[in-house]
């Protein structure tokens, strides 16, 4: 509890927590569209492409002001995105190949520039390499204000073009048929993603930034099928990861904030993957098991219905029909009786009216399904 109160009393922690939370919100909202458009790797390209932009901004200005470096990184990211779109438009190169080539090319160029700067005997270059993994501890109130301005611009544009972005994400062909400027909307959405990258460079760095774009949206996707809910959950998860990562890093010395923010987001993603009611693996396993049991009982009821029609619904007859031990057949009959589908009789078992009705419904459903299959063939 005392660590939580530090957000309101500690200047550095407050700035780090606010900056990380803002990154989570903006990255979560814009990452939703990247995930739905299956362009997750684009965020990785934009983040890695920012490194040469940061280095060039430092070389050209000689200043290490965060806003100047972020603008340089943003411009480089936007250039990389434009080149990817140009390559896809004018060549037959697959999208994943184009993204991979652009990512490695820009990042390699950035590492080369960074090495050149480090060997240039320029004293002001110290700490420039921290943009690779982030330097959240150096965030000032002015930086948080810059993040909020950039993030607010991005969120405002998303709000204004929400319907267009929604249509673009789910059915770009239909959007084009309606006369919407699909190419312009793609460029706008990519530019907004560049803004999100600019917000996150100082916090988590170019290497980990892609996680803050993709992981919140991937976690939110496990909980809902509605875009509006997915955007809200993605923003919430991102903010939670940003704030919790900042708090955890404040509990011990030498705990880097950026990696802890990403680890917090990874924990949220894992919980969502396993326990989300809509798509969680645990719930999916439970539903699969329940469906298998239902199918087993329905097949069992149909077998019992055939035997009942011949007046031989006994454990021995059921075991012979299903080629199973008598003890298993007896357990199966007990399962049917627990559902109220059969009841004991002096000669063995008989179907109850409920069981008769259920068996007739299953037979009718099977006839309809068989008729459809035969009609389609």
């Amino acid at each position: 509890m005392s660590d939580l109160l530090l957000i309101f009393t500690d200047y550095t922690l407050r700035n780090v927590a606010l900056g990380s939370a803002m990154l989570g919100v903006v990255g979560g909202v814009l990452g939703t569209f990247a995930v739905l458009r299956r362009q997750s790797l684009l965020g990785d390209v934009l983040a890695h492409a920012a490194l040469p932009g940061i280095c060039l901004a430092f070389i050209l200005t000689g200043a290490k002001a965060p806003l100047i470096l972020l603008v340089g990184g943003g411009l480089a990211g936007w250039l990389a995105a434009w080149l990817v779109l140009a390559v896809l438009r004018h060549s037959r190169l697959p999208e994943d190949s184009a993204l991979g080539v652009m990512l490695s090319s820009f990042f390699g160029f950035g590492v080369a520039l960074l090495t050149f700067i480090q060997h240039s005997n320029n004293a002001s270059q110290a700490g420039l390499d921290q943009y690779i993994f982030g330097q959240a501890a150096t965030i000032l109130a002015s930086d948080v204000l810059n993040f909020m301005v950039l993030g607010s611009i991005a969120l405002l544009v998303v709000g204004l073009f929400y319907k267009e972005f929604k249509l673009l994400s789910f059915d770009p062909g239909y959007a084009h048929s309606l006369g919407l400027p699909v190419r312009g909307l793609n460029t706008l959405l990519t530019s907004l993603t560049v803004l999100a990258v600019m917000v996150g460079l100082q916090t988590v760095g170019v290497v980990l930034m892609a996680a803050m774009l993709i992981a919140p949206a991937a976690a939110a996707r496990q909980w809902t099928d509605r875009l509006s809910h997915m955007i809200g959950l993605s923003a919430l998860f991102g903010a939670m990861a940003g704030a919790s990562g900042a708090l955890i890093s404040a509990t011990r010395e030498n705990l880097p904030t950026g990696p802890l923010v990403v680890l917090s987001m990874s924990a949220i993603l894992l919980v969502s993957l396993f326990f989300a009611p809509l798509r969680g693996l645990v719930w999916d396993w439970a539903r699969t098991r329940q469906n298998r049991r239902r199918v087993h009982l329905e097949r069992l009821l149909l077998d019992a219905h055939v035997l009942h029609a011949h007046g031989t619904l006994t454990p021995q007859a059921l075991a012979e029909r299903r080629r199973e031990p008598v003890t298993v057949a007896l357990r199966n009959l007990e399962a049917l009786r627990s559902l109220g589908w059969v009841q004991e009789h002096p000669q063995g078992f008989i179907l109850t009216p409920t069981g008769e009705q259920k068996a007739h419904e299953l037979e009718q459903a099977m006839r309809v399904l068989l008729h459809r299959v035969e009609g389609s063939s």
Side-chain angles (χ1 to χ4, degrees), residues 155-175:
L155 297 178
L156 178 61
V157 175
V158 169
L160 292 175
F161 292 90
Y162 172 75
K163 292 182 179 179
E164 289 79 3
F165 289 160
K166 180 179 180 180
L167 192 56
L168 183 67
S169 300
F170 289 103
D171 198 341
Y174 181 61

Side-chain angles (χ1 to χ4, degrees), residues 84-377:
V84 168
L85 295 176
V87 168
L88 293 177
R89 192 178 302 122
H90 300 291
S91 73
R92 296 182 179 180
L93 199 65
E95 183 176 2
D96 57 345
S97 299
L99 291 171
V101 169
M102 211 59 65
L103 184 154
S104 56
S105 300
F106 270 77
F107 189 64
F109 182 45
V111 172
L113 287 176
L114 186 61
T115 304
F116 170 76
I117 293 173
Q118 289 175 336
H119 290 84
S120 63
N121 298 323
N122 189 337
S124 61
Q125 58 85 25
L128 197 63
D129 58 336
Q130 293 183 13
Y131 276 95
I132 296 179
F133 295 105
Q135 45 182 356
T138 64
I139 293 178
L140 305 175
S142 57
D143 299 325
V144 175
L145 181 60
N146 292 333
F147 294 166
M148 289 186 173
V149 171
L150 294 173
S152 298
I153 292 173
L155 297 178
L156 178 61
V157 175
V158 169
L160 292 175
F161 292 90
Y162 172 75
K163 292 182 179 179
E164 289 79 3
F165 289 160
K166 180 179 180 180
L167 192 56
L168 183 67
S169 300
F170 289 103
D171 198 341
Y174 181 61
H176 182 75
S177 68
L178 292 178
L180 293 178
V182 174
R183 185 179 298 180
L185 289 173
N186 270 320
T187 302
L188 177 60
L189 199 49
T190 301
S191 300
L192 295 179
T193 308
V194 170
L195 285 181
V197 170
M198 291 173 64
V199 172
L201 285 177
Q202 193 169 353
T203 306
V204 298
V206 300
V207 173
L208 302 176
M209 181 57 213
M212 292 306 294
L213 281 171
I214 306 307
R221 186 69 182 93
Q222 311 306 311
W223 295 86
T224 182
D225 277 330
R226 298 189 60 181
L227 178 59
S228 58
H229 294 171
M230 182 179 173
I231 291 176
L233 285 173
S234 183
L236 176 63
F237 291 156
M240 288 172 55
S244 60
L247 282 173
I248 295 172
S249 68
T251 60
R252 297 287 188 276
E253 292 184 3
N254 300 321
L255 285 180
T257 302
L260 285 173
V261 169
V262 174
L263 285 176
S264 299
M265 189 60 249
S266 300
I268 295 174
L269 176 59
L270 287 175
V271 170
S272 300
L273 287 174
F274 279 98
F275 300 109
L278 187 63
R279 289 185 174 80
L281 296 178
V282 172
W283 289 96
D284 185 60
W285 172 82
R287 282 192 295 266
T288 301
R289 184 177 180 183
Q290 184 179 9
N291 289 335
R292 287 177 178 174
R293 174 174 170 77
R294 177 182 57 80
V295 171
H296 168 73
L297 291 173
E298 289 176 351
R299 289 179 176 175
L300 186 60
L301 177 61
L302 290 174
D303 289 334
H305 182 252
V306 172
L307 295 175
H308 174 76
H310 294 85
T312 58
L313 183 51
T314 63
Q316 293 78 9
L318 185 63
E320 183 179 352
R321 178 177 177 82
R322 295 176 59 83
R323 298 180 182 179
E324 61 189 13
V326 176
T327 54
V328 175
L330 185 59
R331 284 201 303 269
N332 287 333
L333 287 170
E334 290 295 333
L336 292 179
R337 186 173 67 170
S338 66
L339 294 173
W341 290 350
V342 302
Q343 63 184 22
E344 287 192 59
H345 188 266
Q347 283 76 35
F349 289 83
I350 61 172
L351 261 65
T352 64
T354 303
E356 288 273 9
Q357 181 181 357
K358 181 66 176 177
H360 286 304
E361 291 175 356
L362 291 174
E363 288 178 343
Q364 185 178 4
M366 289 181 64
R367 291 192 193 98
V368 172
L369 180 60
L370 182 60
H371 178 72
R372 289 179 178 175
V373 172
E374 291 177 349
S376 63
S377 60

